[in-house]
Amino acid sequence: MTALVLAYALVLLALFVYGANGYVLAALRLRGRPSPAAMPLHWPAVTVQVPIYNERDMAPRVLDAVTRLDYPGSIEIQVLDDSTDDTSDLVARLAMEFRSRGIDIVHLRRSHRIGFKAGALAAGLCKARGEVIAVFDADFVPPSDFLIRTVPQLLSASDIGCVQTRWGHLNRNANHLTRAQAIAVDAHFAVEQAARVGTGWPAAFNGSAGIWRRRAIEDSGGWSADTLTEDLDLSYRAQLGGWRIAYLGDAVCPGELPEALAALKVQQRRWAQGSTQTARKILPVLWRSQLSLGAKLQGTIHLTHYAVHPLMLLSAALAVPFAIFAPPEAGFWFLMPPIALATGGPATMALCARHDLGERFTVLELLLSLVVGTGLALSNTLAVLRGFRSGGRFVRTPKGPSYASPPDRLGRVELTCAAGCAGTAILLLARGIVSLVPFLALYAAGLGWMGLESLLAARATRS
């Protein structure tokens, strides 16, 4: 029993570190907010890159938005189109129409999809004329003043290599799932990004709605496809090479959130696998660097944050022998505070983001956001394990009515895990060991909801 308690305590300690870091980030989020940058005397040439892969629903909207960008300097638009469906025909017609209006836009096609998004961005960069590179995924709609607001920030210091803006949400209120995601995304940008950049800790370009100094990309080795999170990988290589990432929270670029659970799982699996691959690649270099100990620790937490999902499953599995063998009189109340504090970290970040952004949500929606995060534990754990291997296929997050989400095959397993968590919680409650019950109940709710939604979606697809 002593060994079991020790193992459980170690798992909870790891979860506590990740969860408690939310309090640290929340406390530091207001530090170092950037001052308004002066307008440059010379506006450098900008290349806007729009990577597209089978996006017939999104392509017209994003192309219309980027062609309306106001900018005093020269601007060219590259549509990096790797599509395998009729999206390419649609984009070709739109590009021709925009060129007839005098807009500098090129439609670039590759004969292969080697390197996925990273490969497309790298191929476009070889042909780009701009000193500044702006990147927008197909599901984003940049405001017309995007470049006028971000380019001065990029030029405000010679060592700034990238400026990331805050993601807004075009479909925040589409359903309960998008509302839950919006809470988590707002917390990431308004709290985590602001705190990391303001404190000088490693931060990340989020893959869209940002601009890069071309020289920073090239000095850092360019876009690489050896992980599925090419944006995170380049961000760390650039920062380890002496470049800084700036975050402009007052500039908002809205995008679309996945509206279906299966689509959300696709997105999260790619991010979990890619983050793990990037951690394997970058962590040895990070710890050999001249960065401060605090920056190294924060970089490690940042790169490995998807480890919370296997830790959640492990904590649930270790609760089973507790329920069977632990003496009821033990109580194990000492285990409750670290779990509660770990769970409260994301909620604290969400509440701080709500305060800073003025975005309103109910307590029920906040709980739903926690349930969604917990429910992804099994799916993301499998992705983390795949991240210990190199390579992998970049699976686009399906968005828009023309593209159905791929069937998710984890529903029955997730329901089984949920039943196991619920049964363990009931057994613990019956034996008077209630300290672990609330957290097992949260796991059961999250995994159960994910499993049920997956099975219902699969049934709807078959019918």
Side-chain angles (χ1 to χ4, degrees):
M1 183 52 65
T2 302
L4 177 62
V5 173
L6 179 60
Y8 205 95
L10 289 174
V11 172
L12 295 186
L13 176 62
L15 280 172
F16 172 75
V17 169
Y18 286 101
N21 197 53
Y23 302 109
V24 176
L25 296 172
L28 297 174
R29 73 189 189 281
L30 302 179
R31 177 180 292 188
R33 287 189 171 179
S35 303
M39 294 295 106
L41 297 176
H42 165 70
W43 292 86
V46 172
T47 296
V48 175
Q49 294 187 319
V50 184
I52 286 180
Y53 174 69
N54 296 353
E55 299 276 9
R56 70 167 71 95
D57 299 316
M58 306 292 174
R61 186 180 64 189
V62 67
L63 295 186
D64 180 69
V66 297
T67 56
R68 295 177 184 273
L69 289 169
D70 293 328
Y71 189 65
S74 67
I75 179 173
E76 70 165 340
I77 299 169
Q78 292 182 336
V79 188
L80 310 175
D81 180 16
D82 284 352
S83 298
T84 56
D85 64 3
D86 59 356
T87 299
S88 295
D89 297 332
L90 172 61
V91 170
R93 291 195 301 271
L94 290 170
M96 184 180 299
E97 178 183 339
F98 288 128
R99 279 195 298 271
S100 69
R101 301 181 198 171
I103 295 171
D104 187 354
I105 183 171
V106 292
H107 180 207
L108 300 179
R109 294 274 293 153
R110 297 192 297 165
S111 60
H112 53 76
R113 203 186 169 210
I114 296 174
F116 307 109
K117 180 181 175 181
L121 291 170
L125 188 64
C126 292
K127 300 179 179 181
R129 302 193 304 270
E131 301 170 50
V132 174
I133 308 297
V135 181
F136 301 102
D137 284 346
D139 54 324
F140 280 76
V141 182
S144 61
D145 65 347
F146 183 90
L147 294 175
I148 293 176
R149 300 193 66 180
T150 54
V151 170
Q153 197 68 45
L154 185 72
L155 302 180
S156 65
S158 60
D159 62 344
I160 295 179
C162 171
V163 176
Q164 175 66 58
T165 64
R166 180 164 63 86
W167 289 6
H169 316 295
L170 293 167
N171 59 338
R172 182 187 196 104
N173 296 314
N175 55 40
H176 58 278
L177 187 61
T178 56
R179 287 190 289 272
Q181 291 175 73
I183 292 172
V185 172
D186 288 345
H188 166 69
F189 280 95
V191 176
E192 182 173 8
Q193 284 284 53
R196 289 187 175 282
V197 170
T199 313
W201 292 334
F205 167 61
N206 293 95
S208 182
I211 62 173
W212 278 87
R213 200 185 295 259
R214 178 176 185 154
R215 188 160 63 87
I217 298 176
E218 294 173 340
D219 285 354
S220 306
W223 295 103
S224 174
D226 58 0
T227 78
L228 294 183
T229 46
E230 71 294 321
D231 45 10
L232 182 64
D233 173 34
L234 178 60
S235 298
Y236 268 79
R237 285 188 282 118
Q239 289 169 106
L240 289 170
W243 293 97
R244 286 193 295 132
I245 292 179
Y247 169 63
L248 203 56
D250 293 335
V252 182
C253 185
E256 288 214 4
L257 298 160
E259 295 185 6
L261 180 60
L264 174 62
K265 282 186 170 181
V266 167
Q267 181 192 72
Q268 288 293 313
R269 281 195 293 263
R270 186 178 71 245
W271 291 355
Q273 182 176 350
S275 294
T276 306
Q277 292 171 330
T278 303
R280 290 176 52 233
K281 174 181 178 179
I282 296 296
L283 282 179
V285 185
L286 175 69
W287 280 94
R288 289 195 300 268
S289 73
Q290 299 300 311
L291 294 180
S292 67
L293 178 60
K296 291 176 181 178
L297 290 172
Q298 282 294 329
T300 301
I301 292 173
H302 186 207
L303 288 171
T304 63
H305 70 280
Y306 276 101
V308 298
H309 294 286
L311 287 170
M312 285 179 184
L313 292 186
L314 186 56
S315 69
L318 288 173
V320 176
F322 262 100
I324 298 173
F325 301 113
E329 64 275 7
F332 298 104
W333 290 103
F334 69 94
L335 296 175
M336 193 169 188
I339 308 180
L341 287 171
T343 306
T348 300
M349 291 173 63
L351 291 171
C352 288
R354 172 183 173 175
H355 175 270
D356 294 348
L357 302 179
E359 297 286 358
R360 298 299 176 186
F361 55 78
T362 65
V363 173
L364 182 60
E365 288 170 338
L366 177 59
L367 289 175
L368 182 60
S369 179
L370 296 177
V371 167
V372 169
T374 305
L376 290 167
L378 179 61
S379 179
N380 283 352
T381 293
L382 296 176
V384 166
L385 294 176
R386 286 193 294 271
F388 285 96
R389 304 193 306 267
S390 299
R393 181 167 170 263
F394 187 105
V395 181
R396 180 185 67 89
T397 306
K399 294 179 181 177
S402 299
Y403 301 94
S405 301
D408 185 75
R409 307 182 189 281
L410 289 178
R412 287 187 174 84
V413 182
E414 286 167 334
L415 283 177
T416 301
C417 291
C421 289
T424 304
I426 292 171
L427 183 56
L428 284 168
L429 192 61
R431 302 189 67 221
I433 308 174
V434 300
S435 55
L436 306 179
V437 170
F439 316 108
L440 286 169
L442 179 61
Y443 295 169
L447 290 165
W449 182 54
M450 287 285 163
L452 183 60
E453 287 264 8
S454 296
L455 291 181
L456 292 175
R459 179 176 298 179
T461 300
R462 287 195 298 269
S463 60

